[in-house]
Amino acid sequence: MRPPAIIDCDPGQDDVMAILLGGRLLDLRAITTVFGNVSLEQTTRNARQVVEFAELTGIPIAMGMAQPLVRDIQHASEIHGETGLDGPTLPPPSVPLVEEHATDVIIARTREIEGLALVPIGPLTNIATALHRDPSLAARVPQISLMGGSLTFGNTTPTAEFNIWCDPEAAHVVFTSGIPIKMIGLNVTRQVAATPERRAQIRSMGRRTSGIVADMLDFYSERVRALTGVPGGAMHDPLAVAALVDPDVLRFEPMHVAIELRGTHTYGMTVCDARHLHVTDLTPTRANGHRGAAPNAEVAVGANPDRFWEMFLDALASYP
Ligand code: BDR
Ligand code: CA
């Protein structure tokens, strides 16, 4: 059975990969948009374009928060391009938006649909705002599977990952909400890269959607290569979808995660208490049970890239 879920996103090429994977493996009840990689207007336009080229008809798209709760707004167009989806040339979208605000959609759908999971793959502003407006939401959401943070180092700053750094106060609200969280951070997403070989494999599928995906991943990977020297952009966001449907793609360990809100050098860091794990293979040590605060998240500590690619390519092959 496909788990019912809402994807909350800021497309972004890797967000598109998550929508495509979710369109096939989740019972996708809505796509909600948030500012992030680019402005809210642009991320919303991008979400509409994806739904249209992938023919994911009937999935409502709702626009959410345009700026962070407290901090100043930041974007990542140096990675994703001016539109956030640079690479292919796509026609202007025509699918309509729903009139409700994204936070209303999150609140209403979780009332109507039992077991509705949330998959946030951008800044956590919509989820935090929905929790603020309806504190009972926390009791209705069985699972949040989010892309954000890192068990090791950051990408936007030495210690902070982009999605969390964009709105650390919102992330704090979510991580202290009591909702079961799977945190899929950079320490695992960087292990799953769109290498030149993978991109060639996608292009050779010869379908319309796979061609668009290859164009997107080429652009994104070239920007990542120019900025970091790494030859393939990480498949960050689709891993948050994969984690909901296949327990063998990622390995998780429970730990307490605090969001740094005051550090001069560490603002937006996910401070993961991994003291109970073995230092090299990150398995629990017998001598060293949990210390400090109780775990509030399952943190991804290991990835199986081949398993992910098998799942992703299978899903992609089913698109027009
Ligand atoms: C995250 O930041 C965004 O640029 C990507 O879409 C992903 O969600 C990676 O740090
Ligand atoms: Ca994203």
Side-chain angles (χ1 to χ4, degrees), residues 10 14-15 37 71 74 76 80 120-124 146-168 171 175 183-190 220 234 236-237 259-260 265-271:
D10 64 332
D14 62 320
D15 299 70
N37 286 320
R71 68 157 305 162
Q74 304 286 336
H80 300 275
I121 52 177
L124 288 161
L146 66 87
M147 190 285 137
S150 177
L151 179 58
T152 54
F153 42 87
N155 54 1
T156 305
T157 76
T159 55
E161 180 279 331
F162 180 75
N163 288 341
I164 304 293
W165 177 80
C166 275
D167 197 344
F175 275 85
M183 178 184 123
I184 292 98
L186 295 174
N187 55 298
V188 290
T189 62
R190 279 187 169 135
Y220 165 63
H236 302 290
D237 291 343
I259 309 299
E260 176 59 76
H265 304 290
T266 51
Y267 184 49
M269 178 181 182
T270 45
V271 181

Side-chain angles (χ1 to χ4, degrees), residues 17 61 80 96 118 159 202 259 261 263 271 279:
M17 308 307 137
I61 305 171
H80 300 275
L118 302 179
T159 55
I202 290 171
I259 309 299
L261 299 178
V271 181
V279 74

Side-chain angles (χ1 to χ4, degrees), residues 66-81:
Q67 53 187 35
L69 298 184
V70 177
R71 68 157 305 162
D72 51 325
I73 193 165
Q74 304 286 336
H75 297 306
S77 41
E78 72 283 6
I79 298 276
H80 300 275

Side-chain angles (χ1 to χ4, degrees), residues 117-138:
L118 302 179
V119 185
I121 52 177
L124 288 161
T125 321
N126 284 343
I127 316 296
T129 304
L131 279 164
H132 181 68
R133 292 186 48 215
D134 176 10
S136 71
L137 174 67

